[in-house]
Amino acid sequence: MTIATVTVNAGALRNHHFHLTTVMDMFPSDAIGGKNRNFEAPRLLRVDFGGNLIANTDIDGDKNFFRDRRVQRLFFERNAVKAGDKLIVERNGTYEFSVRKAVYRCHSPGT
């Protein structure tokens, strides 16, 4: 899998992260750590959130989200992310990923 969509829920948004549970098979197992920083994974992922927002982070394997929530908070703010919004997660290399807000455009018939 190289590209997938995840939905942001209200609780995760309040806590500055989004769940990767449905797309965990995209990530290398050595980048998935334990439930806190004391159990950080041996390899970090480079996650590009756009607009010069880059996180070098692992995944909290207990809760299935990127551990660096500071960058995710900035991403949510800059992109006006709301509960229910979809995010696109793309694998660009073994340890390189990008995240962007899905934008849906409506087209009038005949355009």
Side-chain angles (χ1 to χ4, degrees):
M1 180 186 310
T2 59
I3 190 165
T5 305
V6 296
T7 303
V8 178
N9 69 41
L13 186 63
R14 278 191 305 276
N15 290 295
H16 316 298
H17 68 266
F18 57 94
H19 293 280
L20 300 166
T21 305
T22 60
V23 298
M24 286 298 287
D25 58 339
M26 289 179 74
F27 302 101
S29 61
D30 60 347
I32 300 170
K35 64 182 178 179
N36 61 46
R37 283 219 182 268
N38 293 331
F39 300 101
E40 192 171 88
R43 292 290 305 258
L44 296 180
L45 303 169
R46 181 182 185 278
V47 185
D48 183 346
F49 287 90
N52 296 321
L53 290 176
I54 307 290
N56 291 304
T57 185
D58 69 331
I59 294 173
D60 178 320
D62 187 53
K63 300 175 194 81
N64 296 337
F65 58 69
F66 294 122
R67 198 177 303 276
D68 184 342
R69 293 189 289 171
R70 180 190 60 83
V71 172
Q72 292 173 87
R73 179 183 56 79
L74 292 170
F75 170 77
F76 290 162
E77 290 171 0
R78 290 182 184 180
N79 292 280
V81 175
K82 301 179 301 296
D85 283 350
K86 304 251 186 246
L87 304 180
I88 298 168
V89 180
E90 187 169 7
R91 183 177 185 159
N92 303 313
T94 304
Y95 297 96
E96 295 182 15
F97 294 82
S98 59
V99 175
R100 63 187 183 275
K101 183 177 173 182
V103 178
Y104 299 97
R105 292 183 172 86
C106 296
H107 296 281
S108 299
T111 62

